[in-house]
Amino acid sequence: MAWEMKGKYGPYYYRKKREGRKVRSIYEGRGISGLNASKMVEQRKNQREAERASFAKTEQDLSAMLNAFQEVDRLTAKAILERAQAEGLHRSARWKWRRKRV
């Protein structure tokens, strides 16, 4: 998106659009209509940026929650193992809890 000088009548606003390997320039206007088109493009850009920031924040929050859940899982597994060993149990090769032979 850019203002381009063509001819003697001042800047024109063109929007760039990629179609396959080619880039097309699409005339949006000059003067007020060009200014309105450039403002709309700027608003869309700001909206996408805000959505990206929101997504990054959500991703960060979910990552923190996942880390917390993993820590709880690790501590729970450790507590179960300690309790089972205190009861005289062990895990067999098939991961079943069994009493130790005496």
Side-chain angles (χ1 to χ4, degrees):
M1 303 354 133
W3 289 93
E4 296 180 9
M5 290 297 292
K6 292 186 177 183
K8 60 181 180 176
Y9 292 108
Y12 300 96
Y13 188 76
Y14 283 88
R15 179 171 49 98
K16 306 295 184 187
K17 183 177 180 182
R18 180 173 294 278
E19 293 179 350
R21 300 178 106 192
K22 295 183 179 182
V23 177
R24 283 187 42 211
S25 293
I26 300 170
Y27 174 74
E28 291 288 340
R30 72 178 189 102
I32 298 295
S33 62
L35 188 61
N36 289 338
S38 70
K39 284 182 181 180
M40 287 177 50
V41 167
E42 188 67 29
Q43 287 174 348
R44 282 184 283 189
K45 180 182 172 186
N46 291 340
Q47 182 180 8
R48 285 193 307 267
E49 187 176 311
E51 288 172 357
R52 257 187 253 121
S54 173
F55 179 75
K57 172 95 171 84
T58 301
E59 188 176 29
Q60 187 178 21
D61 292 345
L62 289 175
S63 177
M65 286 176 34
L66 178 63
N67 290 339
F69 285 134
Q70 287 174 339
E71 181 66 17
V72 168
D73 183 49
R74 187 184 66 76
L75 292 173
T76 303
K78 183 179 177 184
I80 290 171
L81 179 64
E82 290 173 357
R83 175 64 189 240
Q85 288 175 344
E87 296 281 330
L89 299 172
H90 74 285
R91 279 203 160 152
S92 69
R94 296 189 189 123
W95 287 88
K96 291 184 181 179
W97 289 103
R98 295 189 177 166
R99 293 229 176 257
K100 289 185 179 179
R101 294 184 186 171
V102 185

